[in-house]
Amino acid sequence: MKTELTCILCPNSCNLIIEHDDKDIISISGNMCDRGITYATEEIKNPMRMVTSTVSVLGSDNKRLPVILTKEIPKSMIFEVMKEIKKTKTTAPINQGDILISNILNTGSDLVASRSISSNR
Amino acid sequence: MREYELIIIGGGSAGLAATMGAYENGLKDILLIEREPELGGILLQCIHNGFGLHMFDEELAGPTYAERWINKVLETDVEIKLNTAVLSINNDLTLEYSNEDEGYRIVKAKSIVLAMGCRERSRGAIAIPGYRPAGVLTAGTAQKYVNILGNEIGKKVFILGSGDIGLIMARRMRLEGAEVVGVAEIMPYSNGLPRNVKQCLDDYNIPLYLSHTVTFIDGHDRVNSITISKVDDNLNPLKGTEKILEVDTLLLSVGLIPENDLSEMAGIELEMKTNGPIVDDKFETSIPGIFACGNVLHVHDLVDYVSKEALNAGKSAAEYVLKKSSKYEYITVTHDNNLVYILPNKIINENENNVELMYRVKTPMKKATINLICDGMIVRSIKKANLTPSIMGKIMVAKKLLKGTELIVNIKEEIL
Amino acid sequence: MYDYIIIGAGINGSFMAHELSKYNLNVMVIEKGPDVATGATIANSAIIHAGHDPKPGTLKAKLNVEGNSMYPKICKDLDADFKHTSAFVTATSMEESPSIDMLYKQAKGRNIPCEILDKGQAKALEPNLSDNTVKVLNLPSTGIITPWEVAYNLMEEAIINGVELSLNIKVLGIISRPKTCYVDKSQSMGRLGYEIITNKGTFKTANIINAAGVYADEIYNMLKPKESFSITGRKGEYYILDKLANPLVNRVIYPIPSSKGKGVLVVPTVHGNTLLGPSSDFIDDKGGNFTDTETLKYVKAQVNRTVKNIPFNKVIKTYAGLRPTGNTGDFIISESDEFQGFINVAAIESPGLASAPAITKYVLNTIIEKQVILKPKKQYINRTKLPILNRMSLEEKIKLWNKEPKYGNIICRCESISEGEILDAIRRPLGATTVDGIKRRVRPGSGRCQGGFCQPEIINILARELNKPVEEIALFNKDSNIITKGEIN
């Protein structure tokens, strides 16, 4: 089958055309450099994504704590990861970088606080 | 009346960096005024990552980037007033502010940096026809409800405007469980970064309707449907192309406007093309001692550039106060119709130093040449690729190349 | 059993309630909307016209001129804004010039202050008048108000003095009964009484004042009268411009009127904005107050004929209102011949706002004084004035802040409105319960950001004060909540 992708690695935004089947990539065209090949391969075989969200905070005037993963996770797991994040609550004070969920769903990525929040301002 | 060496209006990305720029260049008696309960500005609600690539070589979430700067500022001993609104600025550099703790006060400054940021263009400003129900919000306001307050603001959402804010909110709403029915963009190309189109729309199969706009909002109490229509080359809706979509929420990402009502009150000259103050390459406005930086000057895409610009503006304010500026001769900067704007509007004429020109093109150009012309001669020619209105361009120029009293910047597309 | 039930809490219902509150009468106002002023009262040009153009011999002509002279004192007593901006009627072609002379004669005949100006004189006063301006009629007695402010303050004072106000009540039917069915509490003699059936119960009253706007015919027709009238909605659409560093115009600018009405105007507002409009189109759906592209285009084209340099890039909002146009060409203000005690105050389209106080006076003098013996209350309580900080001196503001620190916490940056003022707007007798209710009482949401920055704060303050969860705070109508769920997981 054929998949068309816009490469996002640089402003050239090459239109990549990838011929592939369920398992392997047959050919890639439209790229102006090799990084495009790596990108296309990853996007077809194992696309990874960053997820950011917020969790509820108690004990502070701030109601929500923004959170971020330490590593990208497989695109197919985005909603599972969101489900885990939504089960999480936390209490102030929090420091930026504090781990809220370690190795979330065995992805090797932690969920950490994007900022510090102090207790009741 | 208390007089400060410098008052900075706005404690967001620009204000924080301007504080550091001034402090690190010798000013100590600084007052930073912020109307929200915390420093950080709009970054606090931009919980997605992508900030700091140029400044820190990292891709940080907005609040993380803000915290880096907030910590720097907190290490200085500048005076910070939170929950404080500036009500007016006068051309003698007095200003009135108010807050719950102190009431109404007038203070004076030797210099002021304007860092008030921008506001969103509203539904009313683009006159979308229809009823006026609840459920119509600008994307940034929706972002505040969802990310700061933790409110749900709708279940079935349509977004007008494919700029980055619209795209980011499409993903955000989807991740929070809403059905995102689509995004409409009046231009034939998306206004946002290709990466955001991919990771906010394509990833979630959210349709992007290019060359479309919203032509009716229905619903007496809450939105119950919207009509989108295709537009012609003149961006006018085409009769017969209407499509009614049942949604309960319409988010608008239709432009940002620098927030200069305080600047206008002070009598500062504004530029129609940016909606921000006219400035020289020290970021000084038409009132000596008042400087502007960040989104209040012109709307930026990268916060890293805001910080860089603001550091410079803060530095200029410090130089102004400590050295007391001398009389300058200026080179005025003008441009052709292919550019939306170019900043600064004038350049201090001197043989040393560089000036960084910042511009936006009107339409996307795959390949183009920018010419800098002084006294009828091209003093520099720069080849550029992949120019688009949604990405601010920058050119560093050595001032010694500039001659005469006028610099004309024009851009020619290379037809392939 | 009430002496009077007023159906409709618009500008006329409010003037009537206020007037009747001065007497020992049992009065109730029934309003189907969520607040006072929900129909034409919140969607008009806000002009107190001089009275120069209604047809001679009409109630419109008589009551407009009279109302215009009453407004300055009424607004002063109510602590509501009134500005004598003056008005120009402008002829922009030689063909239109005789109309100026005709209107001048008509105005003079009604003792309305007026004078004719030539192009030079007019443009000296209003530099942005079209270069095609040929002749101008100056009408210095023209004023502008904030219509809903007047309605709120009138109704509030009425409530303080015993009038009952019932909001969110829809009239479903009206039955007339001979007086003898009821225990006699009213002072009327041997007349019909009424039962008003609503979605919140049935109310009995000796008399009804029908001030129901576009629905006034439907209300009257509930009694199945042998002779009736009809009301059709006539829509007007407007643009609102942001406050400008230099005002576009200082006066109300009218074109030459036509059969469609006064025409599309350029109108300064009390707060420093500018209105452009209205259009004029009949519409079947009485709830159809939506704006549409074609009409907005028409408004733009029309205002460009009388005024130049209109900064359309400074538009902050558009809106539409429906005028209640009656089939007789005039106001319909009379007691029904068939149903004694049923007073129609209907078809109050332009110049309805300007005529409103005179309408109430007319109803009082010609109808009510013949129905009942009016006993003035011995003690009348005036409403409390509320502070507006952005109009005060620094010293005055500091004084207020000393009494209540929340007057120092600015919530609405565009209009410089403090939390203290917002709390006043909620806590006053006719307090705001909705986001638009706050907007119309104290301005947050009317400015250039259109609530983009302050709306979340406003909702939180309302929720706190009214002890309601945020998802129950409405924009305006009952099901117009902004937040669908207070707390996401």
Side-chain angles (χ1 to χ4, degrees), chain C residues 454-467:
Chain C
C454 65
Q455 191 190 78
E457 268 299 334
I458 298 292
I459 291 182
N460 281 322
I461 295 172
L462 277 166
R464 193 182 75 209
E465 285 289 303
L466 301 175
N467 212 5

mmCIF file of all heavy atoms in Angstrom, chain C residues 454-467:
data_model
loop_
_atom_site.group_PDB
_atom_site.id
_atom_site.type_symbol
_atom_site.label_atom_id
_atom_site.label_comp_id
_atom_site.label_asym_id
_atom_site.label_seq_id
_atom_site.Cartn_x
_atom_site.Cartn_y
_atom_site.Cartn_z
ATOM 1 N N CYS C 454 -11.667 38.089 30.752
ATOM 2 C CA CYS C 454 -12.333 38.173 32.051
ATOM 3 C C CYS C 454 -13.451 37.164 32.263
ATOM 4 O O CYS C 454 -13.871 36.942 33.398
ATOM 5 C CB CYS C 454 -12.896 39.567 32.268
ATOM 6 S SG CYS C 454 -14.216 39.983 31.101
ATOM 7 N N GLN C 455 -13.934 36.514 31.184
ATOM 8 C CA GLN C 455 -15.107 35.658 31.353
ATOM 9 C C GLN C 455 -14.921 34.546 32.393
ATOM 10 O O GLN C 455 -15.802 34.322 33.215
ATOM 11 C CB GLN C 455 -15.541 35.063 30.013
ATOM 12 C CG GLN C 455 -16.894 34.386 30.066
ATOM 13 C CD GLN C 455 -17.173 33.617 28.799
ATOM 14 O OE1 GLN C 455 -16.672 32.523 28.590
ATOM 15 N NE2 GLN C 455 -18.008 34.191 27.956
ATOM 16 N N PRO C 456 -13.755 33.852 32.397
ATOM 17 C CA PRO C 456 -13.590 32.817 33.431
ATOM 18 C C PRO C 456 -13.706 33.374 34.844
ATOM 19 O O PRO C 456 -14.318 32.758 35.714
ATOM 20 C CB PRO C 456 -12.182 32.268 33.162
ATOM 21 C CG PRO C 456 -11.917 32.570 31.718
ATOM 22 C CD PRO C 456 -12.618 33.868 31.462
ATOM 23 N N GLU C 457 -13.139 34.574 35.056
ATOM 24 C CA GLU C 457 -13.237 35.212 36.370
ATOM 25 C C GLU C 457 -14.682 35.545 36.715
ATOM 26 O O GLU C 457 -15.134 35.350 37.837
ATOM 27 C CB GLU C 457 -12.488 36.547 36.338
ATOM 28 C CG GLU C 457 -11.070 36.524 36.754
ATOM 29 C CD GLU C 457 -10.855 36.078 38.185
ATOM 30 O OE1 GLU C 457 -11.756 36.230 39.032
ATOM 31 O OE2 GLU C 457 -9.778 35.541 38.432
ATOM 32 N N ILE C 458 -15.406 36.076 35.733
ATOM 33 C CA ILE C 458 -16.796 36.471 35.953
ATOM 34 C C ILE C 458 -17.623 35.254 36.359
ATOM 35 O O ILE C 458 -18.434 35.308 37.291
ATOM 36 C CB ILE C 458 -17.382 37.128 34.678
ATOM 37 C CG1 ILE C 458 -16.622 38.403 34.320
ATOM 38 C CG2 ILE C 458 -18.880 37.405 34.840
ATOM 39 C CD1 ILE C 458 -16.801 39.535 35.295
ATOM 40 N N ILE C 459 -17.404 34.150 35.663
ATOM 41 C CA ILE C 459 -18.150 32.932 36.003
ATOM 42 C C ILE C 459 -17.832 32.498 37.423
ATOM 43 O O ILE C 459 -18.730 32.128 38.200
ATOM 44 C CB ILE C 459 -17.843 31.807 35.001
ATOM 45 C CG1 ILE C 459 -18.432 32.150 33.633
ATOM 46 C CG2 ILE C 459 -18.382 30.473 35.504
ATOM 47 C CD1 ILE C 459 -18.229 31.086 32.580
ATOM 48 N N ASN C 460 -16.558 32.540 37.791
ATOM 49 C CA ASN C 460 -16.184 32.124 39.147
ATOM 50 C C ASN C 460 -16.793 33.017 40.215
ATOM 51 O O ASN C 460 -17.243 32.543 41.256
ATOM 52 C CB ASN C 460 -14.665 32.078 39.286
ATOM 53 C CG ASN C 460 -14.103 30.814 38.675
ATOM 54 O OD1 ASN C 460 -14.693 29.738 38.776
ATOM 55 N ND2 ASN C 460 -12.977 30.923 38.011
ATOM 56 N N ILE C 461 -16.813 34.311 39.951
ATOM 57 C CA ILE C 461 -17.403 35.235 40.925
ATOM 58 C C ILE C 461 -18.901 34.980 41.053
ATOM 59 O O ILE C 461 -19.447 34.931 42.156
ATOM 60 C CB ILE C 461 -17.123 36.704 40.536
ATOM 61 C CG1 ILE C 461 -15.621 36.986 40.614
ATOM 62 C CG2 ILE C 461 -17.893 37.665 41.447
ATOM 63 C CD1 ILE C 461 -15.218 38.355 40.075
ATOM 64 N N LEU C 462 -19.582 34.804 39.920
ATOM 65 C CA LEU C 462 -21.025 34.527 39.963
ATOM 66 C C LEU C 462 -21.298 33.231 40.724
ATOM 67 O O LEU C 462 -22.198 33.166 41.561
ATOM 68 C CB LEU C 462 -21.590 34.414 38.538
ATOM 69 C CG LEU C 462 -21.945 35.721 37.841
ATOM 70 C CD1 LEU C 462 -22.165 35.490 36.358
ATOM 71 C CD2 LEU C 462 -23.170 36.372 38.472
ATOM 72 N N ALA C 463 -20.514 32.187 40.424
ATOM 73 C CA ALA C 463 -20.718 30.896 41.077
ATOM 74 C C ALA C 463 -20.544 31.020 42.587
ATOM 75 O O ALA C 463 -21.339 30.503 43.378
ATOM 76 C CB ALA C 463 -19.736 29.874 40.519
ATOM 77 N N ARG C 464 -19.530 31.778 42.975
ATOM 78 C CA ARG C 464 -19.247 31.966 44.396
ATOM 79 C C ARG C 464 -20.384 32.732 45.069
ATOM 80 O O ARG C 464 -20.891 32.333 46.111
ATOM 81 C CB ARG C 464 -17.930 32.742 44.513
ATOM 82 C CG ARG C 464 -17.301 32.776 45.875
ATOM 83 C CD ARG C 464 -16.036 33.634 45.829
ATOM 84 N NE ARG C 464 -16.341 35.050 45.774
ATOM 85 C CZ ARG C 464 -15.558 35.979 45.183
ATOM 86 N NH1 ARG C 464 -14.432 35.622 44.598
ATOM 87 N NH2 ARG C 464 -15.892 37.246 45.186
ATOM 88 N N GLU C 465 -20.796 33.831 44.456
ATOM 89 C CA GLU C 465 -21.811 34.687 45.070
ATOM 90 C C GLU C 465 -23.182 34.036 45.090
ATOM 91 O O GLU C 465 -23.951 34.194 46.033
ATOM 92 C CB GLU C 465 -21.906 36.020 44.304
ATOM 93 C CG GLU C 465 -20.754 36.962 44.587
ATOM 94 C CD GLU C 465 -20.806 37.551 45.987
ATOM 95 O OE1 GLU C 465 -21.816 38.186 46.333
ATOM 96 O OE2 GLU C 465 -19.841 37.348 46.738
ATOM 97 N N LEU C 466 -23.520 33.308 44.020
ATOM 98 C CA LEU C 466 -24.844 32.709 43.936
ATOM 99 C C LEU C 466 -24.867 31.303 44.508
ATOM 100 O O LEU C 466 -25.907 30.656 44.515
ATOM 101 C CB LEU C 466 -25.304 32.669 42.468
ATOM 102 C CG LEU C 466 -25.377 34.018 41.755
ATOM 103 C CD1 LEU C 466 -25.714 33.828 40.288
ATOM 104 C CD2 LEU C 466 -26.411 34.928 42.406
ATOM 105 N N ASN C 467 -23.703 30.841 44.972
ATOM 106 C CA ASN C 467 -23.582 29.507 45.554
ATOM 107 C C ASN C 467 -24.057 28.428 44.577
ATOM 108 O O ASN C 467 -24.889 27.580 44.914
ATOM 109 C CB ASN C 467 -24.419 29.433 46.841
ATOM 110 C CG ASN C 467 -23.775 28.502 47.833
ATOM 111 O OD1 ASN C 467 -22.676 27.984 47.611
ATOM 112 N ND2 ASN C 467 -24.477 28.260 48.923
#
